[in-house]
Amino acid sequence: MVRLGLDIFLEKGYKRVEGQRIGLVTNMTGVNEKLQPSIDLFTEHPAIHLTTLYAPEHGIRGDAKEGQEVSSSIDAKTGLPVYSLYGETRKPSQEMLADVDVLVFDLQDIGSRYYTYIYTMAYVMEACMEYGKKLIVLDRPNPVSGLNMEGNLVEPDVRSFVGLLPIPNRHGMTIGELAWLFKKEFAYACDLSIVPMEGWKRRMYFDDTNLFWIPPSPNVPVVDTAILYPGTCLLEGTNVSEGRGTAKPFEWIGAPFIEGQKLAKVYNDKKIPGVLARPVSFVPTYQKHEGEICGGVQLHIENRHTLHALRAGVTLVETIAALYPNQFQFIENENGKCFFDLLAGTKRLRKYILAGEAEKYIEEGQQELGKFKKTRKKYLLYR
């Protein structure tokens, strides 16, 4: 039985903040084992003085799409101010912290470095350091386990809000462990406390716990999505649909120029461990190729323990690029930068894919992972 940091904090950890004004960074994933929102639990707790709420990407209630700016507002249920950390600023300002002594962070991460919640935490840590506020992180499971790591470390010239710090694509750490890492290795030296979970083991995937899965965004509906995400998220940096606007985001991959049967056969012939491709046809309701019939594949997880999600995703991008060289493209973001490079955390992978040598990227990443493994060992809360 896994008990969340939230439940333990409300049971006994709250005593450290009695008499202090509390700001809560949370959203729809901030619930206890009974699915009660941390906002409600804090509001109703007689010893907790909740004054302010802070919203990451997707908003405080999860009603904003990916990349959509979130506005500051007043929470309809509690009447508390909600300051956006995914709008005009991504770091709390001094004004936004005026009525707060202690910030509490309670968000469910998904175990991949592309996800913006962990960088929201980094900016919160920076603000706490600058303005003399305390931070308490309520720990939650890494849904894709805390054992395996995949990928490379983000290089300085391609850092962004989908890869702000030098951690691998699949980092194998909980949100609390990342907070310690950020403080000690990357100089986010705020007054930090972690409330660990009880009963969580590093080998656990989210569905090995007794907890309900709450989608941390509209496009991560199930645990299998999170398992594939370290690899298939890279498709966001191309003109191929990663399945947004369908029932199977990050599992259905395709475009109008792709022939699903052909792609599935070529991909399966590569015998990527733990995954099989099945030809599909789909019509996205929004985002890339909205309203168009897309041919492509669904990636099915055959064995999550042998699956290297990043290799599965990189091989799929490489296969599509080779089969459709005249139609496939890498795309730029709104700032004119190659979005694929920002996701990959390096410019090397794009060059390797176009040369048909993507396996070099995986091999080079193993050396970087070895260094990261030694670094992260100091900050692991669960053995």
Side-chain angles (χ1 to χ4, degrees):
M1 184 175 180
V2 175
R3 299 194 66 215
L4 296 166
L6 170 62
D7 292 301
I8 295 164
F9 177 77
L10 291 169
E11 181 181 286
K12 52 189 177 183
Y14 70 88
K15 295 177 182 178
R16 73 180 78 174
V17 300
E18 282 189 274
Q20 300 182 72
R21 300 168 299 170
I22 306 302
L24 180 60
V25 186
T26 192
N27 63 5
M28 64 287 178
T29 66
V31 296
N32 69 0
E33 60 188 27
K34 301 293 186 183
L35 296 179
Q36 297 168 296
S38 54
I39 297 174
D40 296 350
L41 294 167
F42 276 43
T43 302
E44 297 163 3
H45 199 289
I48 294 178
H49 180 33
L50 183 64
T51 63
T52 315
L53 301 172
Y54 300 89
E57 185 179 8
H58 304 296
I60 202 80
R61 304 290 183 181
D63 50 10
K65 290 181 179 179
E66 68 284 347
Q68 178 182 336
E69 285 199 356
V70 175
S71 299
S72 295
S73 61
I74 300 296
D75 182 53
K77 183 172 183 180
T78 63
L80 295 174
V82 181
Y83 289 111
S84 170
L85 301 181
Y86 198 79
E88 294 182 1
T89 183
R90 291 178 180 175
K91 183 175 78 173
S93 66
Q94 189 171 14
E95 181 183 2
M96 293 161 68
L97 296 171
D99 293 327
V100 169
D101 302 306
V102 181
L103 276 166
V104 177
F105 190 94
D106 187 33
L107 289 171
Q108 176 62 60
D109 181 39
I110 69 165
S112 297
R113 70 149 182 253
Y114 323 112
Y115 226 63
T116 61
Y117 294 171
I118 60 176
Y119 307 122
T120 293
M121 182 175 70
Y123 281 126
V124 167
M125 294 175 73
E126 186 177 336
C128 287
M129 180 176 62
E130 290 181 7
Y131 303 120
K133 308 296 181 180
K134 297 178 182 178
L135 175 64
I136 299 174
V137 176
L138 308 182
D139 212 4
R140 290 181 173 272
N142 183 321
V144 295
S145 88
L147 289 178
N148 297 328
M149 295 176 292
E150 300 171 6
N152 62 298
L153 305 186
V154 180
E155 296 168 3
D157 61 340
V158 286
R159 291 187 184 173
S160 71
F161 205 48
V162 293
L164 186 65
L165 296 169
I167 60 175
N169 308 56
R170 180 179 177 181
H171 50 70
M173 301 180 78
T174 69
I175 195 84
E177 293 173 336
L178 283 172
W180 279 125
L181 178 80
F182 291 178
K183 175 175 178 172
K184 298 295 186 179
E185 298 294 329
F186 307 134
Y188 290 90
C190 64
D191 185 345
L192 174 67
S193 299
I194 311 296
V195 180
M197 297 173 283
E198 293 178 356
W200 188 74
K201 310 295 183 185
R202 304 206 74 81
R203 60 175 169 76
M204 287 182 172
Y205 285 75
F206 198 91
D207 47 16
D208 294 322
T209 73
N210 60 303
L211 303 169
F212 293 100
W213 176 253
I214 308 300
S217 76
N219 287 291
V220 188
V222 295
V223 176
D224 273 5
T225 316
I227 294 172
L228 287 168
Y229 186 77
T232 54
C233 181
L234 292 172
L235 274 299
E236 288 192 31
T238 75
N239 64 339
V240 176
S241 170
E242 68 278 7
R244 292 189 188 273
T246 77
K248 293 289 185 180
F250 301 104
E251 296 181 49
W252 286 357
I253 308 297
F257 57 81
I258 291 176
E259 182 186 340
Q261 296 279 355
K262 182 178 182 180
L263 176 58
K265 183 180 187 309
V266 174
Y267 184 80
N268 286 335
D269 284 347
K270 297 178 184 292
K271 300 188 184 306
I272 307 300
V275 66
L276 286 173
R278 177 180 67 90
V280 294
S281 180
F282 59 88
V283 180
T285 58
Y286 80 102
Q287 258 247 20
K288 296 178 198 168
H289 309 302
E290 177 182 349
E292 297 182 75
I293 298 175
C294 295
V297 296
Q298 178 177 355
L299 295 187
H300 291 264
I301 298 173
E302 189 177 30
N303 185 333
R304 63 174 59 173
H305 301 292
T306 61
L307 172 66
H308 188 293
L310 186 59
R311 175 178 277 111
V314 167
T315 303
L316 184 57
V317 176
E318 183 179 52
T319 303
I320 294 170
L323 288 174
Y324 304 98
N326 297 324
Q327 294 99 340
F328 173 82
Q329 296 176 354
F330 295 104
I331 60 176
E332 296 181 347
N333 67 3
E334 63 275 8
N335 298 318
K337 294 184 177 181
C338 179
F339 190 44
F340 186 87
D341 292 351
L342 301 184
L343 291 166
T346 179
K347 297 178 181 179
R348 288 178 288 128
L349 178 56
R350 176 163 50 96
K351 295 176 182 178
Y352 284 153
I353 284 172
L354 293 177
E357 299 176 337
E359 188 60 28
K360 285 185 179 180
Y361 162 76
I362 302 296
E363 294 171 358
E364 291 171 358
Q366 293 301 316
Q367 299 176 12
E368 297 179 49
L369 286 177
K371 296 177 183 178
F372 181 77
K373 187 175 182 178
K374 292 179 181 179
T375 300
R376 77 163 195 159
K377 187 176 181 179
K378 295 177 285 186
Y379 308 108
L380 300 184
L381 300 172
Y382 314 90
R383 301 294 175 180

